[in-house]
Amino acid sequence: MSEEAITLKHLTVAYQSVPVLWDVSLGFKKGKMTAIIGPNGAGKSTLIKAMLQLIKPLTGEVAFSLNDHQMAPYKEVKQQVAYVPQNSSVDWDFPTTVLDVVTMGRYGRLGWFKRAKKADKEIAAQQLAKVGMQTFADRQISQLSGGQRQRVFLARALAQEADIYLLDEPLAGVDMKTERIIMNLLHELVAEGKTVIVVHHDLQTVEEYFDEVVFINRSLMAAGSVSSAFTDKNIEETYRTDQNVGERSAQP
Amino acid sequence: MEQLLALFSDYTFQIVALGTGFLGLLSGVVGTYATLRKESLLGDALSHAALPGIALAFLLIGKKDLVYLLGGALISGLIATALIQWISKKSTVKFDNALSVVLSSFFGLGLVLLTHIQGLENANQAGLEKFIYGQASSMLLSDVQLLLAVGAGILVLVLLLWKELKVFAFDPVFTQTLGFQTRILQFILSAMIILTVIFGLESVGVILMSALLIGPAVAARQWSDRLGVVLILAGLFGMVSGVAGTFISSIGRQIPTGPTIVLVLSLIVMISLIFSPKRGLIIRWVNQRRKKKAYIKQIEEKQERSEKYAR
Protein backbone atom coordinates (compact mmCIF):
# COMPACT_ATOMS: atom_id res chain seq x y z
CA MET A 1 0.00 0.00 0.00
CA SER A 2 1.42 3.35 -0.95
CA GLU A 3 0.90 6.37 1.26
CA GLU A 4 -1.69 9.06 0.72
CA ALA A 5 -0.57 12.61 -0.09
CA ILE A 6 -4.03 14.10 0.45
CA THR A 7 -6.71 12.52 2.57
CA LEU A 8 -10.34 13.66 2.38
CA LYS A 9 -12.84 12.70 5.06
CA HIS A 10 -16.56 13.26 4.58
CA LEU A 11 -16.00 16.38 2.49
CA THR A 12 -19.31 18.11 1.71
CA VAL A 13 -19.52 21.39 -0.20
CA ALA A 14 -22.59 23.50 -0.91
CA TYR A 15 -23.13 26.69 -2.86
CA GLN A 16 -25.77 28.54 -0.90
CA SER A 17 -28.16 25.68 -0.05
CA VAL A 18 -27.41 23.43 -3.03
CA PRO A 19 -24.96 20.66 -2.25
CA VAL A 20 -22.37 20.20 -5.01
CA LEU A 21 -20.25 17.57 -3.35
CA TRP A 22 -21.69 15.08 -0.95
CA ASP A 23 -19.71 13.21 1.68
CA VAL A 24 -16.53 12.52 -0.30
CA SER A 25 -13.98 10.37 1.53
CA LEU A 26 -10.94 9.66 -0.54
CA GLY A 27 -7.16 9.36 -0.57
CA PHE A 28 -4.84 10.64 -3.30
CA LYS A 29 -1.77 8.41 -3.57
CA LYS A 30 1.62 9.96 -3.07
CA GLY A 31 3.94 9.98 -6.08
CA LYS A 32 1.17 9.07 -8.51
CA MET A 33 -0.65 10.78 -11.33
CA THR A 34 -4.37 10.84 -10.60
CA ALA A 35 -7.19 11.86 -12.93
CA ILE A 36 -10.42 13.29 -11.57
CA ILE A 37 -13.14 12.60 -14.10
CA GLY A 38 -16.88 13.07 -14.30
CA PRO A 39 -19.50 14.88 -16.38
CA ASN A 40 -19.86 18.66 -16.57
CA GLY A 41 -21.11 20.16 -13.35
CA ALA A 42 -20.16 17.05 -11.39
CA GLY A 43 -18.13 19.08 -8.89
CA LYS A 44 -14.60 18.27 -10.08
CA SER A 45 -13.31 21.86 -9.90
CA THR A 46 -15.20 22.31 -6.66
CA LEU A 47 -13.39 19.31 -5.20
CA ILE A 48 -10.00 20.87 -6.01
CA LYS A 49 -11.03 24.29 -4.76
CA ALA A 50 -12.34 22.83 -1.52
CA MET A 51 -9.04 20.99 -1.02
CA LEU A 52 -7.24 24.35 -1.39
CA GLN A 53 -9.65 26.13 0.96
CA LEU A 54 -10.71 28.41 -1.89
CA ILE A 55 -14.24 27.30 -1.08
CA LYS A 56 -15.14 26.62 2.51
CA PRO A 57 -16.58 23.13 2.81
CA LEU A 58 -19.78 22.62 4.77
CA THR A 59 -18.22 19.78 6.70
CA GLY A 60 -15.36 17.37 6.34
CA GLU A 61 -11.61 17.36 6.57
CA VAL A 62 -8.72 17.70 4.15
CA ALA A 63 -5.30 16.60 5.38
CA PHE A 64 -1.94 16.74 3.60
CA SER A 65 0.95 14.35 4.18
CA LEU A 66 4.38 15.37 2.91
CA ASN A 67 7.88 14.27 3.81
CA ASP A 68 8.01 16.52 6.86
CA HIS A 69 4.29 16.74 7.61
CA GLN A 70 1.76 14.08 8.50
CA MET A 71 -1.96 14.76 8.10
CA ALA A 72 -1.40 18.49 8.28
CA PRO A 73 -4.09 21.08 7.47
CA TYR A 74 -3.68 23.00 4.20
CA LYS A 75 -2.48 26.23 5.78
CA GLU A 76 0.66 24.50 7.09
CA VAL A 77 1.69 23.15 3.71
CA LYS A 78 0.56 25.94 1.34
CA GLN A 79 4.04 26.44 -0.12
CA GLN A 80 4.24 22.75 -1.01
CA VAL A 81 1.01 22.70 -2.96
CA ALA A 82 0.88 24.29 -6.42
CA TYR A 83 -2.38 25.01 -8.21
CA VAL A 84 -3.03 25.57 -11.91
CA PRO A 85 -6.45 27.17 -12.32
CA GLN A 86 -8.46 27.11 -15.54
CA ASN A 87 -6.87 29.69 -17.78
CA SER A 88 -10.15 31.46 -18.40
CA SER A 89 -10.06 32.71 -14.82
CA VAL A 90 -7.85 35.77 -15.38
CA ASP A 91 -7.82 38.92 -17.49
CA TRP A 92 -5.27 38.18 -20.21
CA ASP A 93 -5.13 41.85 -21.17
CA PHE A 94 -3.40 42.57 -17.86
CA PRO A 95 -0.28 44.69 -18.45
CA THR A 96 2.38 42.11 -17.72
CA THR A 97 4.85 39.90 -19.56
CA VAL A 98 5.08 36.13 -19.80
CA LEU A 99 8.22 35.95 -17.64
CA ASP A 100 6.55 38.19 -15.06
CA VAL A 101 3.61 35.82 -14.73
CA VAL A 102 5.91 32.82 -14.27
CA THR A 103 7.94 34.75 -11.68
CA MET A 104 4.70 35.12 -9.67
CA GLY A 105 5.12 31.43 -8.85
CA ARG A 106 8.07 32.47 -6.66
CA TYR A 107 6.11 35.04 -4.65
CA GLY A 108 4.79 32.54 -2.11
CA ARG A 109 8.29 31.48 -1.12
CA LEU A 110 9.43 35.09 -0.93
CA GLY A 111 6.64 36.02 1.46
CA TRP A 112 5.38 39.53 2.22
CA PHE A 113 7.34 42.63 1.12
CA LYS A 114 10.42 40.90 -0.35
CA ARG A 115 11.07 41.57 -4.03
CA ALA A 116 11.80 38.85 -6.58
CA LYS A 117 15.56 38.52 -6.96
CA LYS A 118 17.70 37.57 -9.90
CA ALA A 119 17.72 33.95 -8.77
CA ASP A 120 13.90 33.91 -8.83
CA LYS A 121 13.84 35.30 -12.34
CA GLU A 122 16.34 32.66 -13.41
CA ILE A 123 14.22 29.86 -11.96
CA ALA A 124 11.20 31.36 -13.74
CA ALA A 125 13.13 31.50 -17.02
CA GLN A 126 14.15 27.86 -16.61
CA GLN A 127 10.54 26.77 -16.14
CA LEU A 128 9.56 28.82 -19.17
CA ALA A 129 12.17 26.96 -21.20
CA LYS A 130 10.77 23.64 -19.94
CA VAL A 131 7.37 24.45 -21.44
CA GLY A 132 9.05 25.56 -24.67
CA MET A 133 8.19 29.24 -24.27
CA GLN A 134 11.56 30.88 -23.56
CA THR A 135 11.35 32.99 -26.72
CA PHE A 136 8.07 34.47 -25.44
CA ALA A 137 9.52 35.77 -22.16
CA ASP A 138 9.06 39.47 -22.95
CA ARG A 139 5.74 39.18 -24.76
CA GLN A 140 2.57 40.67 -23.37
CA ILE A 141 0.35 37.80 -22.29
CA SER A 142 -2.63 38.68 -24.52
CA GLN A 143 -0.56 37.73 -27.57
CA LEU A 144 -0.52 34.05 -26.57
CA SER A 145 -2.72 31.26 -27.91
CA GLY A 146 -4.84 29.16 -25.56
CA GLY A 147 -2.27 26.39 -25.43
CA GLN A 148 0.55 28.84 -24.76
CA ARG A 149 -1.41 30.42 -21.93
CA GLN A 150 -1.89 27.02 -20.36
CA ARG A 151 1.84 26.34 -20.64
CA VAL A 152 2.61 29.67 -18.95
CA PHE A 153 0.28 28.72 -16.09
CA LEU A 154 2.04 25.37 -15.78
CA ALA A 155 5.46 27.09 -15.77
CA ARG A 156 4.20 29.37 -13.00
CA ALA A 157 3.19 26.35 -10.93
CA LEU A 158 6.55 24.65 -11.63
CA ALA A 159 8.32 27.78 -10.37
CA GLN A 160 6.70 27.13 -6.99
CA GLU A 161 8.84 23.97 -6.69
CA ALA A 162 6.05 22.24 -4.81
CA ASP A 163 5.48 18.60 -3.86
CA ILE A 164 1.84 18.38 -4.84
CA TYR A 165 0.41 19.76 -8.09
CA LEU A 166 -3.32 20.29 -8.60
CA LEU A 167 -4.38 21.15 -12.15
CA ASP A 168 -7.89 22.13 -13.23
CA GLU A 169 -8.53 20.97 -16.82
CA PRO A 170 -5.02 21.82 -18.09
CA LEU A 171 -5.70 20.08 -21.41
CA ALA A 172 -9.05 21.71 -22.17
CA GLY A 173 -8.94 23.36 -25.58
CA VAL A 174 -5.17 23.13 -26.06
CA ASP A 175 -3.29 22.06 -29.18
CA MET A 176 -1.57 18.67 -29.52
CA LYS A 177 1.89 20.15 -29.00
CA THR A 178 0.84 21.76 -25.73
CA GLU A 179 -0.85 18.56 -24.57
CA ARG A 180 2.34 16.58 -25.22
CA ILE A 181 4.53 19.14 -23.45
CA ILE A 182 2.25 19.34 -20.42
CA MET A 183 1.89 15.58 -20.04
CA ASN A 184 5.64 14.99 -20.44
CA LEU A 185 6.38 17.53 -17.71
CA LEU A 186 3.75 16.07 -15.40
CA HIS A 187 5.21 12.61 -15.89
CA GLU A 188 8.65 14.02 -15.06
CA LEU A 189 7.23 15.42 -11.81
CA VAL A 190 5.80 12.03 -10.89
CA ALA A 191 9.13 10.40 -11.73
CA GLU A 192 10.71 12.79 -9.21
CA GLY A 193 8.30 11.48 -6.58
CA LYS A 194 5.81 14.37 -6.70
CA THR A 195 2.08 13.96 -6.55
CA VAL A 196 0.03 15.19 -9.52
CA ILE A 197 -3.75 15.48 -9.53
CA VAL A 198 -5.50 16.53 -12.73
CA VAL A 199 -9.13 17.34 -13.48
CA HIS A 200 -9.48 15.60 -16.82
CA HIS A 201 -12.24 15.55 -19.40
CA ASP A 202 -11.00 13.20 -22.12
CA LEU A 203 -11.87 9.57 -21.36
CA GLN A 204 -9.86 8.39 -24.38
CA THR A 205 -6.51 9.32 -22.85
CA VAL A 206 -7.03 8.27 -19.22
CA GLU A 207 -5.34 4.87 -19.63
CA GLU A 208 -2.41 6.36 -21.50
CA TYR A 209 -1.72 9.26 -19.12
CA PHE A 210 -2.71 8.29 -15.58
CA ASP A 211 -1.91 5.85 -12.79
CA GLU A 212 -4.98 6.45 -10.67
CA VAL A 213 -8.51 7.53 -11.43
CA VAL A 214 -11.25 9.13 -9.33
CA PHE A 215 -14.83 9.20 -10.62
CA ILE A 216 -16.89 12.11 -9.31
CA ASN A 217 -20.50 12.98 -9.91
CA ARG A 218 -21.69 15.01 -6.95
CA SER A 219 -20.40 12.22 -4.76
CA LEU A 220 -17.55 9.76 -5.09
CA MET A 221 -18.59 7.14 -7.64
CA ALA A 222 -15.42 5.03 -7.75
CA ALA A 223 -11.66 5.32 -7.24
CA GLY A 224 -8.60 3.19 -7.68
CA SER A 225 -5.78 2.36 -10.04
CA VAL A 226 -6.55 2.87 -13.71
CA SER A 227 -6.00 -0.84 -14.37
CA SER A 228 -8.63 -1.92 -11.88
CA ALA A 229 -11.09 1.00 -11.57
CA PHE A 230 -11.25 2.40 -15.12
CA THR A 231 -14.01 0.04 -16.18
CA ASP A 232 -16.95 0.48 -18.52
CA LYS A 233 -19.26 -0.09 -15.58
CA ASN A 234 -17.76 2.77 -13.52
CA ILE A 235 -17.72 5.10 -16.52
CA GLU A 236 -21.32 4.34 -17.34
CA GLU A 237 -22.51 4.78 -13.78
CA THR A 238 -20.69 8.08 -13.37
CA TYR A 239 -21.92 9.57 -16.63
CA ARG A 240 -25.37 7.97 -16.63
CA THR A 241 -27.45 9.98 -14.21
CA ASP A 242 -27.71 13.50 -13.03
CA GLN A 243 -27.00 13.05 -9.41
CA ASN A 244 -29.13 15.14 -7.12
CA VAL A 245 -27.43 14.50 -3.87
CA GLY A 246 -28.67 15.81 -0.60
CA GLU A 247 -32.11 16.78 -1.80
CA ARG A 248 -33.71 13.64 -0.54
CA SER A 249 -31.96 13.77 2.77
CA ALA A 250 -32.62 17.50 3.18
CA GLN A 251 -36.37 16.97 2.91
CA PRO A 252 -38.26 15.49 5.84
CA MET B 1 0.95 87.44 -19.95
CA GLU B 2 1.43 89.49 -16.84
CA GLN B 3 -1.82 88.08 -15.60
CA LEU B 4 -0.50 84.57 -16.14
CA LEU B 5 2.69 85.32 -14.26
CA ALA B 6 0.67 86.81 -11.47
CA LEU B 7 -1.44 83.69 -11.37
CA PHE B 8 1.55 81.36 -11.23
CA SER B 9 3.14 83.32 -8.43
CA ASP B 10 -0.16 83.52 -6.59
CA TYR B 11 0.13 81.65 -3.31
CA THR B 12 -3.42 80.32 -3.40
CA PHE B 13 -2.99 79.04 -6.94
CA GLN B 14 0.24 77.28 -5.98
CA ILE B 15 -1.42 75.57 -3.05
CA VAL B 16 -4.47 74.53 -5.06
CA ALA B 17 -2.42 73.34 -8.05
CA LEU B 18 -0.21 71.32 -5.72
CA GLY B 19 -3.32 69.78 -4.19
CA THR B 20 -5.11 68.89 -7.43
CA GLY B 21 -1.90 67.79 -9.12
CA PHE B 22 -1.09 65.40 -6.30
CA LEU B 23 -4.69 64.24 -6.17
CA GLY B 24 -4.49 63.46 -9.90
CA LEU B 25 -1.26 61.53 -9.40
CA LEU B 26 -2.81 59.53 -6.58
CA SER B 27 -5.99 58.88 -8.57
CA GLY B 28 -3.95 57.67 -11.49
CA VAL B 29 -2.01 55.15 -9.41
CA VAL B 30 -4.90 53.94 -7.26
CA GLY B 31 -7.30 54.02 -10.21
CA THR B 32 -5.00 51.73 -12.21
CA TYR B 33 -5.39 49.03 -9.56
CA ALA B 34 -9.12 49.75 -9.31
CA THR B 35 -9.67 49.28 -13.04
CA LEU B 36 -7.44 46.19 -13.19
CA ARG B 37 -9.48 44.65 -10.37
CA LYS B 38 -12.66 45.85 -12.14
CA GLU B 39 -13.66 47.84 -9.09
CA SER B 40 -13.75 51.28 -10.62
CA LEU B 41 -17.56 51.37 -10.51
CA LEU B 42 -17.42 51.02 -6.76
CA GLY B 43 -15.48 54.28 -6.70
CA ASP B 44 -18.33 55.82 -8.65
CA ALA B 45 -20.91 54.54 -6.18
CA LEU B 46 -18.79 55.64 -3.24
CA SER B 47 -18.41 59.22 -4.46
CA HIS B 48 -22.08 59.73 -5.37
CA ALA B 49 -23.21 58.16 -2.13
CA ALA B 50 -20.93 60.50 -0.18
CA LEU B 51 -23.22 63.51 -0.76
CA PRO B 52 -25.89 62.77 1.88
CA GLY B 53 -23.10 62.09 4.37
CA ILE B 54 -21.65 65.55 3.75
CA ALA B 55 -25.05 67.18 4.16
CA LEU B 56 -25.92 65.23 7.30
CA ALA B 57 -22.54 65.96 8.87
CA PHE B 58 -23.16 69.67 8.29
CA LEU B 59 -26.67 69.46 9.75
CA LEU B 60 -25.38 67.70 12.85
CA ILE B 61 -22.32 69.85 13.49
CA GLY B 62 -23.53 73.10 12.02
CA LYS B 63 -20.24 74.23 10.54
CA LYS B 64 -18.16 73.50 7.47
CA ASP B 65 -15.22 71.75 9.04
CA LEU B 66 -13.72 69.67 6.22
CA VAL B 67 -12.66 66.80 8.46
CA TYR B 68 -16.21 66.28 9.76
CA LEU B 69 -17.75 66.68 6.31
CA LEU B 70 -15.37 64.14 4.80
CA GLY B 71 -15.98 61.88 7.77
CA GLY B 72 -19.69 62.00 6.99
CA ALA B 73 -18.92 61.38 3.33
CA LEU B 74 -16.84 58.34 4.26
CA ILE B 75 -19.56 56.85 6.45
CA SER B 76 -22.39 57.22 3.95
CA GLY B 77 -20.13 56.05 1.10
CA LEU B 78 -19.23 52.93 3.05
CA ILE B 79 -22.86 52.25 3.97
CA ALA B 80 -23.80 52.51 0.29
CA THR B 81 -21.04 50.18 -0.94
CA ALA B 82 -21.85 47.67 1.81
CA LEU B 83 -25.51 47.89 0.76
CA ILE B 84 -24.60 47.24 -2.88
CA GLN B 85 -22.48 44.21 -1.98
CA TRP B 86 -25.19 42.92 0.33
CA ILE B 87 -28.00 43.31 -2.22
CA SER B 88 -26.06 41.69 -5.05
CA LYS B 89 -25.00 38.82 -2.79
CA LYS B 90 -28.20 38.09 -0.91
CA SER B 91 -30.91 38.96 -3.40
CA THR B 92 -31.42 38.01 -7.03
CA VAL B 93 -30.67 41.60 -8.12
CA LYS B 94 -27.46 41.75 -10.15
CA PHE B 95 -24.46 43.84 -9.14
CA ASP B 96 -24.82 46.55 -11.81
CA ASN B 97 -28.50 47.05 -11.04
CA ALA B 98 -27.90 47.13 -7.30
CA LEU B 99 -25.16 49.67 -7.92
CA SER B 100 -27.28 52.06 -9.95
CA VAL B 101 -30.25 51.83 -7.57
CA VAL B 102 -28.20 52.52 -4.45
CA LEU B 103 -26.02 55.13 -6.15
CA SER B 104 -28.91 57.21 -7.46
CA SER B 105 -31.03 56.96 -4.31
CA PHE B 106 -28.15 58.10 -2.12
CA PHE B 107 -27.31 60.89 -4.55
CA GLY B 108 -30.97 61.93 -4.67
CA LEU B 109 -31.12 62.02 -0.88
CA GLY B 110 -27.98 64.15 -0.90
CA LEU B 111 -29.54 66.66 -3.29
CA VAL B 112 -32.71 66.87 -1.20
CA LEU B 113 -30.69 67.49 1.96
CA LEU B 114 -28.56 70.14 0.23
CA THR B 115 -31.67 71.98 -0.98
CA HIS B 116 -33.02 71.85 2.55
CA ILE B 117 -29.76 73.25 3.93
CA GLN B 118 -29.80 76.12 1.42
CA GLY B 119 -33.20 77.13 2.79
CA LEU B 120 -31.88 77.33 6.34
CA GLU B 121 -31.01 80.65 7.90
CA ASN B 122 -27.45 79.88 8.74
CA ALA B 123 -24.57 82.06 7.65
CA ASN B 124 -22.43 78.99 7.22
CA GLN B 125 -24.66 77.30 4.72
CA ALA B 126 -23.16 78.71 1.53
CA GLY B 127 -20.68 76.65 -0.39
CA LEU B 128 -21.74 73.14 0.42
CA GLU B 129 -22.85 72.69 -3.16
CA LYS B 130 -19.18 72.88 -4.14
CA PHE B 131 -19.05 69.18 -3.34
CA ILE B 132 -21.26 68.45 -6.33
CA TYR B 133 -18.96 69.88 -8.99
CA GLY B 134 -15.87 70.53 -6.92
CA GLN B 135 -14.28 73.88 -6.18
CA ALA B 136 -10.56 73.50 -5.85
CA SER B 137 -10.01 77.15 -4.96
CA SER B 138 -11.54 76.48 -1.58
CA MET B 139 -8.72 74.08 -0.74
CA LEU B 140 -6.80 75.29 2.29
CA LEU B 141 -3.14 74.70 3.02
CA SER B 142 -4.14 72.32 5.81
CA ASP B 143 -6.33 70.33 3.37
CA VAL B 144 -3.42 69.98 0.97
CA GLN B 145 -1.07 69.01 3.79
CA LEU B 146 -3.43 66.24 4.89
CA LEU B 147 -3.78 65.05 1.29
CA LEU B 148 0.01 65.00 0.84
CA ALA B 149 0.53 63.02 4.04
CA VAL B 150 -2.13 60.40 3.35
CA GLY B 151 -1.26 60.23 -0.35
CA ALA B 152 2.44 59.72 0.38
CA GLY B 153 1.46 56.92 2.74
CA ILE B 154 -0.56 55.26 -0.02
CA LEU B 155 2.28 55.57 -2.54
CA VAL B 156 4.78 54.05 -0.08
CA LEU B 157 2.36 51.18 0.51
CA VAL B 158 2.10 50.61 -3.25
CA LEU B 159 5.89 50.37 -3.45
CA LEU B 160 6.18 48.08 -0.42
CA LEU B 161 3.41 45.76 -1.61
CA TRP B 162 4.42 45.96 -5.26
CA LYS B 163 4.46 42.24 -6.01
CA GLU B 164 1.55 41.42 -3.70
CA LEU B 165 -0.75 43.99 -5.32
CA LYS B 166 0.38 42.96 -8.80
CA VAL B 167 -0.30 39.27 -8.38
CA PHE B 168 -3.53 40.02 -6.50
CA ALA B 169 -4.79 42.32 -9.25
CA PHE B 170 -3.92 39.71 -11.90
CA ASP B 171 -5.05 36.51 -10.24
CA PRO B 172 -6.57 36.75 -6.75
CA VAL B 173 -7.35 33.04 -6.48
CA PHE B 174 -3.76 32.08 -7.27
CA THR B 175 -2.57 34.73 -4.80
CA GLN B 176 -4.52 32.98 -2.08
CA THR B 177 -2.92 29.63 -2.89
CA LEU B 178 0.51 31.29 -2.62
CA GLY B 179 -0.24 31.86 1.05
CA PHE B 180 -1.06 35.58 1.03
CA GLN B 181 -4.14 36.66 2.94
CA THR B 182 -6.15 38.11 0.09
CA ARG B 183 -8.59 39.59 2.59
CA ILE B 184 -5.83 41.92 3.77
CA LEU B 185 -4.85 42.86 0.21
CA GLN B 186 -8.48 43.49 -0.70
CA PHE B 187 -8.87 45.68 2.38
CA ILE B 188 -5.75 47.70 1.52
CA LEU B 189 -6.90 48.16 -2.06
CA SER B 190 -10.39 49.22 -1.00
CA ALA B 191 -9.00 51.58 1.62
CA MET B 192 -6.74 53.21 -0.99
CA ILE B 193 -9.68 53.70 -3.37
CA ILE B 194 -11.93 55.06 -0.61
CA LEU B 195 -9.35 57.53 0.70
CA THR B 196 -8.55 58.80 -2.79
CA VAL B 197 -12.21 59.31 -3.63
CA ILE B 198 -12.95 61.07 -0.34
CA PHE B 199 -10.00 63.41 -0.80
CA GLY B 200 -11.16 64.21 -4.33
CA LEU B 201 -14.66 65.26 -3.26
CA GLU B 202 -13.74 68.84 -2.34
CA SER B 203 -11.83 69.72 -5.50
CA VAL B 204 -13.38 67.47 -8.14
CA GLY B 205 -16.84 66.82 -6.72
CA VAL B 206 -18.96 63.74 -6.18
CA ILE B 207 -20.20 63.41 -9.76
CA LEU B 208 -16.89 63.42 -11.59
CA MET B 209 -14.50 61.93 -9.05
CA SER B 210 -14.76 58.46 -10.53
CA ALA B 211 -13.67 59.85 -13.92
CA LEU B 212 -10.41 60.95 -12.34
CA LEU B 213 -10.03 57.41 -11.00
CA ILE B 214 -10.72 55.62 -14.30
CA GLY B 215 -9.50 58.06 -16.97
CA PRO B 216 -5.75 58.10 -16.28
CA ALA B 217 -5.65 54.29 -16.03
CA VAL B 218 -7.50 53.82 -19.32
CA ALA B 219 -5.27 56.32 -21.11
CA ALA B 220 -2.04 54.92 -19.65
CA ARG B 221 -2.91 51.33 -20.56
CA GLN B 222 -2.90 52.39 -24.23
CA TRP B 223 0.79 53.25 -24.14
CA SER B 224 2.41 50.34 -22.34
CA ASP B 225 2.13 46.65 -21.55
CA ARG B 226 4.10 46.93 -18.30
CA LEU B 227 2.36 47.57 -15.03
CA GLY B 228 5.17 49.82 -13.77
CA VAL B 229 5.04 52.06 -16.82
CA VAL B 230 1.23 52.09 -16.80
CA LEU B 231 1.24 53.22 -13.16
CA ILE B 232 3.78 56.00 -13.78
CA LEU B 233 1.94 57.23 -16.89
CA ALA B 234 -1.43 57.10 -15.12
CA GLY B 235 0.00 59.16 -12.27
CA LEU B 236 1.47 61.62 -14.75
CA PHE B 237 -1.78 61.95 -16.76
CA GLY B 238 -3.74 62.48 -13.55
CA MET B 239 -1.28 65.10 -12.34
CA VAL B 240 -1.28 67.02 -15.63
CA SER B 241 -5.10 66.99 -15.69
CA GLY B 242 -5.25 68.23 -12.12
CA VAL B 243 -2.84 71.11 -12.61
CA ALA B 244 -4.12 72.10 -16.06
CA GLY B 245 -7.74 71.92 -14.94
CA THR B 246 -7.03 74.08 -11.92
CA PHE B 247 -5.15 76.53 -14.10
CA ILE B 248 -7.98 76.90 -16.61
CA SER B 249 -10.63 77.25 -13.96
CA SER B 250 -8.54 79.93 -12.21
CA ILE B 251 -8.25 82.08 -15.32
CA GLY B 252 -11.95 82.44 -15.82
CA ARG B 253 -14.58 83.21 -13.29
CA GLN B 254 -17.17 80.73 -12.18
CA ILE B 255 -15.53 77.79 -13.92
CA PRO B 256 -15.87 74.80 -11.59
CA THR B 257 -12.62 72.87 -11.18
CA GLY B 258 -13.95 69.33 -11.32
CA PRO B 259 -15.46 69.48 -14.81
CA THR B 260 -12.41 71.33 -16.14
CA ILE B 261 -10.02 68.71 -14.76
CA VAL B 262 -12.15 65.96 -16.25
CA LEU B 263 -12.29 67.73 -19.62
CA VAL B 264 -8.50 67.94 -19.78
CA LEU B 265 -8.34 64.29 -18.78
CA SER B 266 -10.90 63.33 -21.43
CA LEU B 267 -8.69 64.98 -24.04
CA ILE B 268 -5.73 62.84 -22.90
CA VAL B 269 -7.92 59.72 -22.95
CA MET B 270 -9.18 60.53 -26.43
CA ILE B 271 -5.67 61.13 -27.81
CA SER B 272 -4.50 57.87 -26.22
CA LEU B 273 -7.38 55.85 -27.63
CA ILE B 274 -6.84 57.18 -31.14
CA PHE B 275 -3.09 57.57 -31.48
CA SER B 276 -1.53 54.85 -29.32
CA PRO B 277 1.09 53.14 -31.53
CA LYS B 278 0.08 49.60 -30.50
CA ARG B 279 -3.55 49.70 -29.40
CA GLY B 280 -4.82 52.91 -30.97
CA LEU B 281 -7.78 53.10 -33.33
CA ILE B 282 -5.67 54.38 -36.23
CA ILE B 283 -3.05 51.65 -36.09
CA ARG B 284 -5.73 48.98 -35.76
CA TRP B 285 -7.54 50.34 -38.77
CA VAL B 286 -4.31 50.47 -40.80
CA ASN B 287 -3.41 46.91 -39.80
CA GLN B 288 -6.83 45.63 -40.68
CA ARG B 289 -6.68 47.16 -44.15
CA ARG B 290 -3.18 45.81 -44.68
CA LYS B 291 -4.27 42.31 -43.74
CA LYS B 292 -7.38 42.50 -45.92
CA LYS B 293 -5.27 43.54 -48.90
CA ALA B 294 -2.81 40.72 -48.28
CA TYR B 295 -5.61 38.16 -48.10
CA ILE B 296 -7.23 39.45 -51.28
CA LYS B 297 -3.88 39.27 -53.05
CA GLN B 298 -3.35 35.69 -51.87
CA ILE B 299 -6.76 34.61 -53.12
CA GLU B 300 -6.28 36.34 -56.48
CA GLU B 301 -2.91 34.69 -56.99
CA LYS B 302 -4.41 31.33 -56.15
CA GLN B 303 -7.21 31.88 -58.67
CA GLU B 304 -4.75 32.89 -61.36
CA ARG B 305 -2.73 29.78 -60.76
CA SER B 306 -5.73 27.47 -60.93
CA GLU B 307 -6.90 29.19 -64.10
CA LYS B 308 -3.50 28.52 -65.65
CA TYR B 309 -3.76 24.84 -64.77
CA ALA B 310 -7.28 24.71 -66.14
CA ARG B 311 -5.95 25.83 -69.46
Side-chain angles (χ1 to χ4, degrees), chain A residues 116-249:
Chain A
K117 294 186 189 66
K118 216 177 154 198
D120 296 303
K121 295 244 155 129
E122 272 164 20
I123 289 171
Q126 284 165 15
Q127 311 312 320
L128 206 51
K130 274 193 197 168
V131 298
M133 298 268 302
Q134 65 274 42
T135 51
F136 290 82
D138 291 325
R139 292 273 190 97
Q140 203 273 324
I141 51 175
S142 67
Q143 298 168 19
L144 305 180
S145 72
Q148 290 169 334
R149 290 174 181 184
Q150 198 62 61
R151 280 188 263 161
V152 169
F153 263 14
L154 178 62
R156 183 177 71 170
L158 293 175
Q160 287 180 255
E161 299 183 320
D163 284 332
I164 298 174
Y165 289 80
L166 297 168
L167 300 91
D168 197 349
E169 300 252 17
L171 304 180
V174 305
D175 51 289
M176 281 306 297
K177 185 185 172 197
T178 298
E179 178 158 343
R180 216 168 40 237
I181 291 173
I182 289 178
M183 289 319 297
N184 284 343
L185 280 171
L186 295 182
H187 281 117
E188 265 177 43
L189 289 174
V190 171
E192 289 166 20
K194 315 224 156 152
T195 307
V196 177
I197 297 161
V198 180
V199 172
H200 193 59
H201 66 286
D202 183 7
L203 292 173
Q204 311 292 327
T205 51
V206 171
E207 285 172 299
E208 182 189 345
Y209 289 157
F210 295 95
D211 309 314
E212 301 280 317
V213 62
V214 169
F215 290 93
I216 293 281
N217 193 353
R218 298 300 179 91
S219 56
L220 180 66
M221 304 301 287
S225 67
V226 168
S227 54
S228 66
F230 194 65
T231 61
D232 289 344
K233 182 172 160 283
N234 281 340
I235 295 170
E236 200 182 304
E237 267 176 18
T238 307
Y239 283 82
R240 186 183 52 195
T241 46
D242 290 323
Q243 304 283 323
N244 288 314
V245 291
E247 283 183 10
R248 239 171 315 147
S249 27

Side-chain angles (χ1 to χ4, degrees), chain B residues 267-281:
Chain B
L267 194 68
I268 298 177
V269 172
M270 215 100 89
I271 292 171
S272 304
L273 288 179
I274 296 172
F275 297 105
S276 148
K278 266 190 188 166
R279 303 161 64 98
L281 290 174

